[in-house]
Amino acid sequence: MVGVYDICARVQNGFRARLGRIAVPETKLNLSVSRVLYNQGFVSSVTRGTHLGPDANYTPTTNLNVPERRLWLSLKYYQDQPVLRKMSCISKPSRRITCSANQLQLLASGQPWNIVKGVIPGEIMIVSTTRGVVDIQEAVQLGLGGTLLARAG
């Protein structure tokens, strides 16, 4: 779960600094969270690369080059304002927040559950389920519960 904090901080800091692209370590969790952000329209592209920049040609990740591999996220702006205003973690290692499908449905409809506020319009929650990392709406459609990772909006 440490990777969730890292990507949340890097994305939020990148938008605050008005950067065009940011690099995050290439892990399965970071790739899944990046895919959700891309599918929801918060970033314009996700490409693989090294610590120097995105790859021009495909380079497979091997045991020898793992430390230098990065995911490059192209950040999106609308009318010179960041599309993503805030990204924060929900669960932390000392307190993981898991929800059933019914509890996720309450959160998706905007109602609070336990210590978590409901989703407001223009915001998403990222959930780790048995079928991978998805946004809260997809988890509700699939009828899955899971661990709340982060919220972005």
Side-chain angles (χ1 to χ4, degrees):
M1 287 257 295
V2 175
V4 176
Y5 294 108
D6 186 47
I7 194 169
C8 287
R10 288 177 190 246
V11 169
Q12 189 163 337
N13 290 340
F15 273 115
R16 285 183 178 168
R18 303 235 186 243
L19 299 176
R21 287 189 313 210
I22 59 165
V24 296
E26 185 177 337
T27 63
K28 289 180 182 180
L29 182 61
N30 285 349
L31 181 62
S32 299
V33 171
S34 300
R35 182 185 54 82
V36 171
L37 292 174
Y38 174 74
N39 288 342
Q40 294 299 317
F42 289 112
V43 296
S44 58
S45 71
V46 178
T47 55
R48 287 186 164 136
T50 64
H51 60 283
L52 302 174
D55 289 338
N57 298 323
Y58 173 72
T59 305
T61 302
T62 63
N63 289 337
L64 300 175
N65 67 1
V66 167
E68 64 183 30
R69 298 302 293 165
R70 301 286 185 269
L71 292 172
W72 286 88
L73 280 66
S74 296
L75 305 180
K76 193 186 267 188
Y77 297 91
Y78 178 73
Q79 294 179 350
D80 204 31
Q81 294 295 317
V83 173
L84 183 66
R85 304 255 183 225
K86 185 176 180 183
M87 186 169 180
S88 59
C89 294
I90 298 172
S91 291
K92 55 184 185 177
S94 63
R95 184 185 63 207
R96 290 200 176 173
I97 300 176
T98 57
C99 297
S100 67
N102 293 334
Q103 294 161 343
L104 284 180
Q105 193 168 11
L106 280 175
L107 288 170
S109 65
Q111 298 176 5
W113 174 79
N114 202 353
I115 61 168
V116 182
K117 295 179 183 174
V119 177
I120 59 174
E123 185 180 55
I124 64 165
M125 277 190 196
I126 300 172
V127 183
S128 176
T129 66
T130 55
R131 293 201 185 161
V133 177
V134 296
D135 68 300
I136 193 167
Q137 297 296 335
E138 190 175 344
V140 168
Q141 287 175 352
L142 295 172
L144 299 172
T147 304
L148 300 175
L149 296 179
R151 66 187 321 140

